[in-house]
């Protein structure tokens, strides 16, 4: 079976004024489909950069990134955008919901961008997802009317509504208290177990790491 | 699908960024208000002007020679020179072509030129009447007129002393003094009785030139088929006299021009002083401009005195004395004092003047019914003279004003115009050929013959000042084209032959460009070397006004929108900077760049449409209000443009459409840069954002 994600000797340099900062020093990593993987490391170690590479949001300075065996370095911006829309779900540290849309509309957002589902199908999927994350009662509320935990549930629903192959979550619990954070991780694992969706999340919290099947440790841009 | 999403997002964002959108919206609403109101006012002005100008003189279209050296300016420009607008060789051809164009309703042939008419001085007039009385054998009247002439002469004597100080021509001064001495001597009446006509001739040549106030009045002539002109131009209004019929020669002088140039100058000055006081709220006081005018007018008392019949003067004297509170002095002193009006007595003196004095003087230099000796330089430069009857006084409705120039076209029948213009008829051409032969078969063209006859162009004739000189020219000029032409002409001459320009009335005045195109096409097809211009162009300076205002306004709108665009652009760039997290998230989740651009453009477009609606509503209210109360013209020039003392503007869909369209275009343009900036926001910022 092909790995869901395969990084080969990925190097990432960021220009910073006149110098360049090397955020990743040749990272190689395979993640199998259905894995529930934590990328752990201290702040500034390169976790977010790794997720960016996997999520096709940025291109490596050298090395290769393949999703499901498909090399992504040759793809155009439009193709990468489509790839993110169809294959990847994102959960962010700061939730990143669209404030002018209510819960249902936020969840529906990627489906509308995909533009391949009928209104009924969209409505069914959205309802199911909203229910699964336990927000049926809050469906009509705006993000700013919700708690942090509730917002992250909306983000999870939005990430999963398109049935992506991979869900990426960058420190999804960092802005939550430990109890709520734990609930969120539990919810993610529940989804992972039911749908066999590949989950990759970053964290520097040891208690969150405990929930992962596999923990990949990063320090100063290299895997430990 | 994603457009509906973008719309939903845009609607939300417009509300979410209310402050920014309120600022942008206010700017756009103000812009719309300005553009829509401005366009409505300009269009209303244009319509009012079209009605005013086309119904006064231009018609919707004017046709004139393609090879004209100057542009046609029917309304007249400030200058005194007459533009060279070429010729339309044969009206008949043009009439045929015009008849084939469905849009054309009427063809009114015209010509534009100028001439002078000699107003004459007081002595001229007295001598003219004297000659008439002698010829009629009215000895009593002749005696009274001779008496007047002699009084004028005795009044001129002291002026000779003034002249003595100024002139070095002592020989002429001695002659002039001798002239006055002879006229005022006790024996003169006897000399006159012995040989009246030679004595009058002598006075014509010796006494008349001494009175310097004879005046040459310029007339801006518009030759036309007067029947068609006065019927078709609805602004024409006859004030006095009658419109010459087809086949009848005649002149129609505009009322304001008649008042200004042909009225007794003392009376006119009195009118104007009263107008300044009554209409402009000025005061005469005891110093200042108006006071000086009153004093100057008072010194001109002779212009009244010389015109009074001695018997009438005697009857008037006690009345004026009573009016002045019984002061001492002769008639000259009385008149002088009478004319020195003050703020207190202006109204009573004015009323007295018109009741008692005016009926006894020649209030106007020329009167309806007079034969006017017109003088004009022909095309080839020689002086032509023609007597035409002063048939009436007219006004152009809405044009009458206190300032000159607004209604200054003297209308003349086209045939007389042609005579003055100097186009030769066949018989004249034949006569010219005879003259040519008699000069000895020298190979000379028509113009050269004129030069040979008259000593080279306009040279000598223009220096001739006495009536004798004109008579000499008349004697030399070609048969029919002199002062002694018949009062009538064959009416069909109006249908063919020469014109300088032609006014065209269209069936549908709202379709001027279509009419212009159709007529020009027909003219070109017929091979006539003529051009068709619309009334705006043909009207001259006045017609350009709307275009000028349009350009000024376009520049103002351009500048305003440029500034708006910069402001909106900045506001949107700033807003975009604040929204990178949101944009980055959308990009990360899978929104394409084009979606982001569409979203931002849609947002401003929504604001723009709302603003345009508000601005248009405001403009509609403003223009509606102005349409109710009217915009006062203020000065005469604007009354003409407005077609009356007020402009009542109106607003229509065209103006609103223009405003809304412009505002939307501007706002979309202003959004392009920020939108491109937004599309460039990389998806990674979504992961970097902190809440
Ligand atoms: N856009 C960037 N420009 C410059 N340096 C960056 C940028 N993004 C990340 N870095 C640097 O790369 C390193 C790794 O950062 P990051 O992947 O965000 O770490 P983590 O997510 O583990 O905190 C850090 O030293 C950080 O300063
Ligand atoms: Mg990070």
């Amino acid at each position: 079976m092909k790995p869901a994600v395969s990084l080969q000797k990925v190097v990432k340099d960021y220009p910073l004024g006149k110098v360049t900062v090397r955020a990743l020093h040749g990272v190689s990593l395979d993640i199998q489909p259905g894995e529930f993987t934590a990328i752990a490391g201290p702040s500034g170690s390169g976790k977010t950069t790794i997720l960016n590479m996997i999520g096709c949001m940025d291109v490596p300075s050298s090395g290769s990134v393949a999703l499901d065996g498909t090399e992504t370095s040759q793809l155009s911006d439009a193709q990468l955008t489509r790839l993110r829309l169809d294959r990847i779900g994102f959960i962010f540290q700061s939730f990143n919901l669209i404030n002018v849309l209510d819960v249902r509309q936020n969840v529906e957002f990627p489906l509308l961008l995909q533009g391949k589902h009928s209104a009924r199908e969209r409505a069914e999927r959205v309802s199911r997802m909203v229910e699964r994350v336990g927000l049926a009662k809050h469906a009509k509320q705006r993000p700013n009317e919700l708690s942090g935990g509730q917002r992250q549930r909306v983000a999870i629903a939005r990430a999963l509504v398109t049935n992506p192959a991979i869900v990426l979550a960058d420190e999804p619990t960092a802005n939550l208290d430990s109890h709520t954070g734990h609930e969120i991780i539990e919810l993610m694992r529940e989804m992972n177990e039911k749908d066999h969706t590949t989950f990759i999340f970053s964290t520097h919290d040891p208690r969150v790491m405990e929930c992962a099947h596999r923990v990949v440790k990063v320090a100063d841009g290299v895997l430990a | 699908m994603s457009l509906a999403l973008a719309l939903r997002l845009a609607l939300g964002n417009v509300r979410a960024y209310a402050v920014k959108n309120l600022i942008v919206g206010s700017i756009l609403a103000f812009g719309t208000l300005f553009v829509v109101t401005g366009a409505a006012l300009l269009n209303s002005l244009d319509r009012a002007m079209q009605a005013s100008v086309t119904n006064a003189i231009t018609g919707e279209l004017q046709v004139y020679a393609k090879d004209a050296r100057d542009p046609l300016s029917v309304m007249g420009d400030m200058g005194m020179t007459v533009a060279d607008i070429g010729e339309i060789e044969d009206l008949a051809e043009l009439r045929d072509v015009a008849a084939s164009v469905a849009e054309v309703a009427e063809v009114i042939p015209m010509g534009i030129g100028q001439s002078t008419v000699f107003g004459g001085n007081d002595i001229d007039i007295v001598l003219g009447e004297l000659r008439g009385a002698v010829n009629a054998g009215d000895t009593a009247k002749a005696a009274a007129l001779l008496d007047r002439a002699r009084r004028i002469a005795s009044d001129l004597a002291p002026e000779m002393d003034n002249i003595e100080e100024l002139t070095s021509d002592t020989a002429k001064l001695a002659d002039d003094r001798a002239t006055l001495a002879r006229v005022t001597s006790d024996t003169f009446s006897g000399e006159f009785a012995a040989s009246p006509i030679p004595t009058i001739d002598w006075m014509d040549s010796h006494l008349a030139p001494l009175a310097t106030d004879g005046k040459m009045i310029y007339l801006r002539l518009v030759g036309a088929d007067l029947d068609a002109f006065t019927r078709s131009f609805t602004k024409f209004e006859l004030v006095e006299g009658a419109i010459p019929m087809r086949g009848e020669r005649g002149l129609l002088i505009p009322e304001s021009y008649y008042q200004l140039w042909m009225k007794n100058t003392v009376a006119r000055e009195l009118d104007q002083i009263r107008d300044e006081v009554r209409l402009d709220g000025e005061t005469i006081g005891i110093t200042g401009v108006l006071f000086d005018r009153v004093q100057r007018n008072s010194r001109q008392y002779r212009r009244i005195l010389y015109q009074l019949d001695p018997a009438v003067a005697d009857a008037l004297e006690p009345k004026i004395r009573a009016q002045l509170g019984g002061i001492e002095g002769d008639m000259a002193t009385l008149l002088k004092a009478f004319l020195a009006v003050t703020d207190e007595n202006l109204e009573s003196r004015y009323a007295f003047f018109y009741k008692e004095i005016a009926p006894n003087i020649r209030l106007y230099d020329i009167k309806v019914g007079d034969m006017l000796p017109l003088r004009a330089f022909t095309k080839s430069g020689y002086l032509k003279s023609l007597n035409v009857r002063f048939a009436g006084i007219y006004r152009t409705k809405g044009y009458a004003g206190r300032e000159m120039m607004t209604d200054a076209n003297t209308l003349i029948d086209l045939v007389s115009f042609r005579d003055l213009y100097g186009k030769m008829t066949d018989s004249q051409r034949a006569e010219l050929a005879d003259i040519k032969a008699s000069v000895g078969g020298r190979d000379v063209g028509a113009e050269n013959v004129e030069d040979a006859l008259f000593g080279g162009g306009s040279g000598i004739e223009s220096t001739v000042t006495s009536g004798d000189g004109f008579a000499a020219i008349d004697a030399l000029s070609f048969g029919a084209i002199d002062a002694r032409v018949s009062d009538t002409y064959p009416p069909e001459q109006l249908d063919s032959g020469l014109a300088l320009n032609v006014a065209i009335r269209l069936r549908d005045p709202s379709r001027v460009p279509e009419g212009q195109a159709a007529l020009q096409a027909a003219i070109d097809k017929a091979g006539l070397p003529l051009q068709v211009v619309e009334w705006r162009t043909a009207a001259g300076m006045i017609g350009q006004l709307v275009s000028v205002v349009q350009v000024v306004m376009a520049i103002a709108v351009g500048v305003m929108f440029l500034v708006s665009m910069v402001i909106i652009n900045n506001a949107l760039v700033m807003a975009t900077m604040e929204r990178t997290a949101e944009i980055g998230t959308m990009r990360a989740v899978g929104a394409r760049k084009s979606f982001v651009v569409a979203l931002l453009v849609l947002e401003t477009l929504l604001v723009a449409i709302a603003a345009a609606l508000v601005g248009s509503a405001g403009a509609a209210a403003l223009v509606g209000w102005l349409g109710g109360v009217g915009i006062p013209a203020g000065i005469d020039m604007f009354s003409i443009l407005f077609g009356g003392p007020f402009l009542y503007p109106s607003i229509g869909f065209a103006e609103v459409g223009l405003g809304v369209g412009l505002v939307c275009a501007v706002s979309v343009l202003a959004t392009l840069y920020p939108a491109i900036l937004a599309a460039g926001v990389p998806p990674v910022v979504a992961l970097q954002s902190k809440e």
Side-chain angles (χ1 to χ4, degrees):
Chain A
M1 197 162 79
K2 280 181 232 156
V5 175
S6 175
L7 301 185
Q8 296 296 322
K9 295 183 191 141
V10 168
V11 173
K12 181 65 187 178
D13 291 331
Y14 288 113
L16 194 72
K18 287 200 170 120
V19 296
T20 52
V21 179
R22 180 150 290 188
L24 299 179
H25 298 260
V27 169
S28 298
L29 169 70
D30 282 354
I31 291 170
Q32 300 308 319
E35 274 196 90
F36 193 70
T37 308
I39 296 180
S43 186
S45 57
K47 305 182 294 293
T48 300
T49 307
I50 291 174
L51 290 180
N52 280 344
M53 297 298 128
I54 299 171
C56 301
M57 302 221 267
D58 207 349
V59 286
S61 305
S62 70
S64 75
V65 178
L67 299 184
D68 249 348
T70 311
E71 177 62 42
T72 61
S73 63
Q74 302 304 316
L75 300 181
S76 70
D77 181 77
Q79 287 169 316
L80 289 175
T81 303
R82 192 73 215 182
L83 194 72
R84 288 198 298 273
L85 179 59
D86 290 341
R87 309 279 302 277
I88 306 170
F90 291 93
I91 298 165
F92 307 97
Q93 178 180 337
S94 311
F95 322 131
N96 295 35
L97 300 177
I98 295 170
N99 286 320
V100 300
L101 302 180
D102 66 19
V103 169
R104 280 191 65 93
Q105 290 167 338
N106 263 288
V107 175
E108 192 187 15
F109 183 77
L111 291 179
L112 282 168
L113 287 179
Q114 282 184 330
K116 58 185 180 190
H117 308 285
S118 69
R120 231 180 84 188
E121 196 178 338
R122 284 201 311 272
E124 276 169 17
R125 280 196 187 209
V126 170
S127 297
R128 192 160 2 103
M129 276 322 299
V130 170
E131 199 151 324
R132 279 179 74 185
V133 299
L135 289 175
K137 284 198 188 110
H138 303 278
K140 286 282 163 206
Q141 278 171 304
R142 292 282 181 88
N144 56 9
E145 296 162 332
L146 301 175
S147 70
Q150 289 169 324
R151 289 186 207 188
Q152 203 58 304
R153 286 165 187 269
V154 179
I156 291 169
R158 178 178 68 183
L160 287 163
V161 77
T162 55
N163 291 329
I166 308 161
V167 172
L168 302 174
D170 191 25
E171 308 211 28
T173 61
N175 282 343
L176 302 173
D177 62 72
S178 58
H179 174 72
T180 316
H182 192 73
E183 277 179 11
I184 289 300
I185 293 296
E186 283 302 316
L187 178 62
M188 280 166 51
R189 212 172 60 186
E190 195 185 311
M191 300 291 180
N192 164 258
E193 277 164 9
K194 270 202 187 125
D195 304 344
H196 305 288
T197 310
T198 313
F199 269 77
I200 307 168
F201 62 96
S202 68
T203 183
H204 58 263
D205 183 345
R207 279 177 298 172
V208 173
M209 287 174 224
E210 282 169 17
C211 305
H213 298 160
R214 175 185 173 193
V215 177
V216 177
K217 298 224 167 184
V218 204
D220 294 331
V222 287
L223 299 188
Chain B
M1 197 67 81
S2 56
L3 189 71
L5 173 64
L7 194 64
R8 184 194 285 170
L9 281 170
L11 275 169
N13 287 334
V14 168
R15 249 185 300 157
Y17 300 93
V19 176
K20 177 207 79 176
N21 287 319
L22 219 59
I23 294 169
V24 170
S26 311
I27 294 170
L28 292 176
F30 180 77
T32 317
L33 179 76
F34 185 85
V35 171
V36 175
T37 308
L41 292 185
L42 266 187
N43 289 345
S44 301
L45 176 61
D46 199 48
R47 279 191 300 271
M49 228 176 100
Q50 179 175 354
S52 174
V53 170
T54 59
N55 288 322
I57 188 161
T58 62
E60 283 78 19
L61 301 174
Q62 284 267 337
V63 181
Y64 70 113
K66 232 176 203 155
D67 61 359
R69 221 170 299 159
D70 300 313
L72 173 64
S73 170
V74 183
M75 308 281 284
D77 288 337
M78 297 295 185
M80 266 298 178
T81 54
V82 169
D84 181 356
I85 57 166
E87 293 171 0
I88 297 172
E89 294 270 347
D90 188 8
L91 275 174
E93 288 175 336
L94 178 59
R95 279 188 192 277
D96 285 347
V97 171
S100 73
V101 178
E103 284 87 347
V104 174
E106 196 167 4
V107 173
I108 303 143
M110 291 184 170
I112 297 166
Q114 85 181 0
S115 83
T116 58
V117 61
F118 193 60
N121 60 33
D122 297 324
I123 297 181
D124 280 325
I125 292 160
V126 169
L127 293 181
E129 288 179 15
L130 182 56
R131 196 183 290 269
V134 169
N135 287 337
D138 186 344
T139 44
K141 193 175 177 198
L145 286 164
L146 182 67
D147 209 38
R148 256 165 85 185
R150 296 183 62 197
R151 268 180 41 187
I152 294 172
S154 67
D155 266 314
L156 284 172
E159 273 184 23
M160 288 299 124
D161 300 336
N162 297 337
I163 292 171
E164 185 170 18
E165 290 164 15
L166 300 170
T167 184
S168 55
D169 191 350
T170 48
K172 183 176 181 299
L173 192 64
D175 277 355
D176 292 348
R177 280 206 161 117
T179 302
L180 293 180
R182 184 183 167 198
V183 175
T184 51
S185 74
D186 297 338
T187 56
F188 190 68
S189 299
E191 291 170 33
F192 177 81
S195 53
I197 294 296
T199 309
I200 294 172
D201 288 346
W202 175 82
M203 283 195 285
D204 265 337
S205 58
H206 289 81
L207 182 62
L210 298 187
T212 49
D213 62 351
K215 59 186 174 189
M216 204 75 127
I217 302 165
Y218 279 91
L219 298 179
R220 185 176 198 271
L221 289 184
V222 170
D225 176 343
L226 291 179
D227 179 56
F229 186 101
T230 55
R231 251 189 307 105
S232 181
F233 295 123
T234 52
K235 298 246 163 202
F236 176 92
E237 185 177 30
L238 191 70
V239 177
E240 197 188 323
I243 299 165
M245 289 181 302
R246 275 170 70 90
E248 217 178 16
R249 289 178 190 269
L251 207 66
L252 294 168
I253 296 178
E255 186 184 28
S256 55
Y257 203 74
Y258 184 67
Q259 296 290 349
L260 188 60
W261 293 108
M262 293 152 193
K263 193 169 188 174
N264 175 293
T265 51
V266 171
R268 186 195 72 201
E269 190 67 3
L270 199 60
D271 292 345
Q272 288 187 348
I273 289 165
R274 182 163 173 264
D275 279 350
E276 301 255 330
V277 170
R278 253 177 13 132
L279 305 177
D280 300 342
E282 306 273 337
T283 54
I284 299 167
I286 50 164
T287 172
V289 179
L290 207 53
F291 179 77
D292 289 345
R293 277 179 76 176
V294 169
Q295 297 310 309
R296 208 180 315 127
N297 204 33
S298 154
R299 288 195 295 272
Q300 309 259 317
Y301 68 93
R302 286 194 191 89
R303 292 182 197 277
I304 304 293
L305 184 64
Y306 291 171
Q307 295 199 6
L308 291 173
D309 191 87
V312 171
D314 290 346
L316 261 179
E317 204 175 306
K319 289 187 191 171
I320 300 179
R321 200 184 300 282
Q323 182 76 16
L324 293 175
I327 65 164
E328 291 298 311
D330 59 3
M331 191 61 170
T333 316
L334 289 178
L335 274 177
K336 209 171 161 187
F338 176 84
L339 290 170
V341 293
T342 64
D343 289 308
E344 289 72 41
N345 63 29
L346 176 62
E347 280 305 314
S348 61
R349 297 246 174 122
Y350 184 85
F352 181 87
F353 180 85
Y354 277 99
K355 184 163 175 279
E356 303 289 346
I357 301 176
N360 295 306
I361 63 171
R362 198 179 163 88
L363 197 54
Y364 293 92
D365 297 329
I366 54 173
K367 288 202 294 285
V368 171
D370 287 355
M371 283 303 260
L372 299 187
L374 301 184
R375 304 259 191 277
F377 284 104
T378 64
K379 199 87 182 77
S380 42
Y382 68 94
L383 194 57
K384 174 99 47 148
S385 164
L386 185 70
N387 282 354
V388 180
R389 186 171 305 282
F390 176 15
I393 299 171
Y394 80 99
R395 73 167 74 99
T396 310
K397 273 178 259 176
Y399 279 55
R402 285 165 57 207
E403 297 126 40
M404 192 208 126
M405 196 214 93
T406 53
D407 198 10
N409 289 323
T410 292
L411 304 179
I412 187 171
D413 66 277
L414 188 63
V415 172
S416 298
F417 177 86
R418 283 178 193 151
D419 290 345
L420 285 170
Y421 178 78
K423 205 66 180 177
M424 281 177 292
T425 63
D426 288 344
S427 68
Q428 287 155 7
R429 237 178 239 121
E431 195 177 337
L432 186 65
D434 288 348
I435 296 173
K436 243 190 210 174
S438 70
V439 217
R442 269 166 36 212
D443 186 20
V444 282
E447 259 117 74
N448 294 339
V449 170
E450 284 164 12
D451 285 354
L453 286 171
F454 306 124
S458 59
I460 50 161
E461 292 76 29
S462 60
T463 64
V464 173
T465 51
S466 83
D468 287 352
F470 283 125
I473 294 167
D474 288 346
L476 266 173
S477 51
F478 306 105
I481 318 176
D482 64 14
R484 293 172 296 277
V485 289
S486 139
D487 265 4
T488 58
Y489 57 87
E492 57 280 6
Q493 284 191 6
L494 291 173
D495 299 327
S496 60
L498 175 96
L500 301 193
N501 55 312
V502 158
I504 302 287
R505 298 314 309 253
L506 294 179
R507 284 186 210 289
D508 183 356
S510 66
R511 293 167 50 86
V512 174
E514 292 85 349
Q516 181 182 8
L519 183 58
Q520 184 72 66
I523 283 173
D524 290 345
K525 198 169 153 229
L528 300 182
L530 302 176
Q531 56 178 319
V532 183
V533 293
E534 57 160 15
W535 60 272
R536 265 183 216 86
T537 320
M541 272 193 330
I542 285 180
Q544 303 310 310
L545 189 100
V546 164
S547 313
V548 171
V549 178
Q550 254 161 358
V551 169
V552 170
M553 170 134 158
I555 293 171
V557 168
V559 169
M560 206 177 65
F561 276 144
L562 214 69
V563 172
S564 309
M565 252 164 84
V566 171
I567 297 173
I568 295 169
N569 181 74
N570 281 352
L572 292 181
V573 167
M574 273 162 61
T576 309
M577 293 306 177
E578 285 167 19
R579 290 170 64 179
T580 50
E582 171 198 335
I583 295 163
T585 304
M586 290 194 287
R587 293 282 286 125
V589 171
R592 294 150 58 114
K593 285 181 173 180
S594 57
F595 177 83
V596 175
V597 171
L599 176 61
L600 288 197
V601 170
L602 212 58
E603 280 178 26
T604 9
L605 215 51
L606 286 177
V607 175
I609 288 169
L613 289 180
V614 171
S616 299
L622 184 61
V623 175
W625 175 71
L626 285 174
V629 298
I631 303 168
I635 60 168
D636 291 350
M637 176 78 165
F638 287 152
S639 317
I640 295 177
L641 303 181
F642 291 3
F646 289 92
L647 177 70
Y648 298 99
S650 61
I651 193 166
F653 288 112
E655 289 94 11
V656 174
L658 176 79
V660 173
L662 260 180
V663 163
C664 290
V666 162
S667 46
V668 168
L669 274 177
T671 318
L672 281 184
Y673 176 69
I676 288 165
L677 217 68
V681 170
V684 286
V685 300
L687 282 81
Q688 291 158 356
S689 76
K690 303 271 175 294
E691 191 150 275

